Amino acid sequence: MKARHFLTLKDISQETIDYLLKLATRIKKNKFLCKDLLQGKSIGMLFDKHSTRTRLSFEAGINQLGGNSIYLDSKNMQLSRGETIEDTARVLSRYLEGLIIRTFSHQTVKDFASNSSIPVINGLTDSYHPCQVLSDLFTLFELGLLKKGLKFTYIGDSNNVTSSLIIGLSKLGLDITVGCPAEYEPKEEAVKIFDKQSRSSGSRLNILNDPYQAVKEADVIYTDVWVSMGDKDSRKKFEALQMYQINKKLLSYASGSVKVMHCLPAHRGQEITSEVMDGANSVVWQQAENRLHAQKALLVYIYSR
Ligand code: CP
């Protein structure tokens, strides 16, 4: 049987997302659901970049499902001395029952997956962050917001999270507005996937350069750091993004009950003020917790067959 990979949200159907959201709800209520599912299984975690949430939520989740996680620091592997990703995939497939990979190029994850006989999960690449967005969809579902008519606005730098949000929301037929400077608009590849998916789902993507217009009457405002891991700091970029900070003034243009989301880590005082992040509209801690429950649901989906 072909291994079930999870490289982007494109890989799973709307029905599978619905199933995962319901399963995550049950798992959140009962930490011990499927507690022996991964017994005797070892899942590797190959990380080329820093992580707090992705690493810890997967390690805790694998442990709660009865499995064993093995953290692999690529700097200490032969990969860093020239062994190819293809050869590494062939070898790891003989020791492990799965691999979670966080790296720079999305092509690396694709190359690993196409040479692997074990399931591969994308724990973030420069292009996509599907595990983050799967759990964000769960947070929206829990809040009762994941339905037609949702006004969802992403504000700031259009990065890997933005691309995954565009794919995830459009797969469910929901609209997304991106408020960003003209030079930091969503990546072409994600817009192409949106174009294809929206033909059947009917979803709309609005890209607006005016942040106040973008958040007008929004039910959800989502942001992320202005400089993603691996990007270089640039004064020009910071200057262009100043007016896209989530602060009290910007929030006042949104719906009164607007929910504020941030995938974390945050740079308080840059893309979001502490006042908003710690304020009554913020759901960032619920959002962070849900990484654990949504990813456990993903593991149950991958390994229950
Ligand atoms: N949001 C997220 O992926 O957090 P980490 O970088 O800490 O894993």
Side-chain angles (χ1 to χ4, degrees), residues 50-55 102 123-124 129 132 229 263-265 291:
H50 295 97
S51 174
T52 296
R53 279 144 289 271
T54 307
R55 177 179 174 183
R102 168 168 284 203
L124 179 147
H129 197 357
Q132 176 66 53
M229 278 184 289
C263 55
L264 305 179
R291 295 293 303 274

Side-chain angles (χ1 to χ4, degrees), residues 87-157:
D87 290 350
T88 306
R90 290 180 190 114
V91 173
L92 296 194
S93 292
R94 289 166 182 255
Y95 301 149
L96 303 169
E97 277 76 29
L99 188 87
I100 297 153
I101 179 164
R102 168 168 284 203
T103 190
F104 296 88
S105 164
H106 192 68
Q107 190 59 44
T108 304
V109 177
K110 283 166 74 172
D111 290 343
F112 192 101
S114 57
N115 288 280
S116 158
S117 56
I118 55 173
V120 176
I121 297 175
N122 175 5
L124 179 147
T125 63
D126 290 345
S127 306
Y128 301 106
H129 197 357
C131 292
Q132 176 66 53
V133 170
L134 177 65
S135 64
D136 294 337
L137 294 177
F138 175 49
T139 301
L140 293 171
F141 177 70
E142 256 191 333
L143 292 167
L145 292 172
L146 203 64
K147 54 190 179 203
K148 292 266 183 212
L150 169 70
K151 289 191 176 167
F152 185 100
T153 299
Y154 178 90
I155 286 280
D157 178 35

